[in-house]
């Protein structure tokens, strides 16, 4: 007899390969990706709209992990790592307002070869996945922190 299976994936799904990723990191990533397409809202912490730190803060809070609310404060948590040592689940920080002050945060979803992908809430497009190789993010990149 053949078995009936349900296809729960479609061409629009973003599939994250979670080999070697611990359970908490996997769940954090799944929750972040579930918010793709949600719009940007300054100070937002709900599906009505997220700002970058609100997205990360709210996602971690679901798993009883307390992070500071602001991206600049989040950047003081955990251990700084180089891009060569970045892994899924690490937080990635940017200075997007000019100067060196951290003003933007995302969470790394994938690292392969020389590319680092991360999910974040951008002011122009809401919750999206971007690449550190994009000129804007390459030019504003500050650091990566391992918080888990």
């Amino acid at each position: 007899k053949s078995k009936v299976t349900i296809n729960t994936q479609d061409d629009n799904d973003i599939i994250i390969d979670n080999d070697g990723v611990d359970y908490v990191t996997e769940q954090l990533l799944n929750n972040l990706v579930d918010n793709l397409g949600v719009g940007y809202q300054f100070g937002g912490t709900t599906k009505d709209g997220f700002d970058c730190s609100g997205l990360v803060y709210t996602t971690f809070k679901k798993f009883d992990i307390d992070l500071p609310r602001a991206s600049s404060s989040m950047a003081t948590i955990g251990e700084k790592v180089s891009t060569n040592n970045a892994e899924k689940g690490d937080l990635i920080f940017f200075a997007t307002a000019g100067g060196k002050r951290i003003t933007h945060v995302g969470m790394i979803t994938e690292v392969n070869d020389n590319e680092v992908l991360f999910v974040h809430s951008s002011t122009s497009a809401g919750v999206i996945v971007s690449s550190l190789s994009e000129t804007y993010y390459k030019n504003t990149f500050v650091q990566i922190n391992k918080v888990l």
Side-chain angles (χ1 to χ4, degrees):
K1 289 182 175 179
S2 64
K3 208 176 202 183
V4 176
T5 59
I6 298 172
N7 179 6
T8 59
Q9 299 175 3
D10 65 30
D11 291 341
N12 295 323
D13 286 341
I14 293 181
I15 307 301
I16 297 173
D17 175 14
N18 288 322
D19 290 341
V21 176
D22 68 67
Y23 178 77
V24 173
T25 301
E26 182 178 328
Q27 294 307 309
L28 287 165
L29 288 169
N30 288 339
N31 272 266
L32 279 169
V33 169
D34 281 346
N35 291 304
L36 288 173
V38 172
Y40 179 86
Q41 181 178 326
F42 180 77
T45 57
T46 69
K47 290 233 184 215
D48 290 335
F50 289 103
D51 66 10
C52 64
S53 58
L55 176 66
V56 173
Y57 172 85
T58 301
T59 302
F60 275 71
K61 191 77 169 162
K62 284 182 184 177
F63 297 93
D64 294 324
I65 301 170
D66 290 319
L67 289 178
R69 175 59 178 88
S71 55
S72 59
S73 298
M74 284 181 193
T76 66
I77 304 299
E79 175 189 350
K80 289 182 189 177
V81 296
S82 69
T83 53
N84 294 337
N85 293 320
E87 296 179 320
K88 293 177 190 177
D90 292 346
L91 298 184
I92 185 166
F93 297 94
F94 303 88
T96 58
K100 296 179 194 258
R101 184 174 180 273
I102 290 173
T103 54
H104 191 67
V105 62
M107 186 173 186
I108 296 175
T109 60
E110 188 174 338
V111 178
N112 51 32
D113 298 325
N114 292 327
E115 187 167 36
V116 175
L117 300 177
F118 58 97
V119 64
H120 62 116
S121 184
S122 76
T123 55
S124 61
V127 181
I128 57 173
V129 175
S130 296
S131 172
L132 186 54
S133 63
E134 294 173 42
T135 303
Y136 178 75
Y137 295 110
K138 190 186 322 181
N139 291 338
T140 58
F141 170 74
V142 176
Q143 70 191 50
I144 295 171
N145 287 24
K146 187 168 300 306
V147 296
L148 298 174

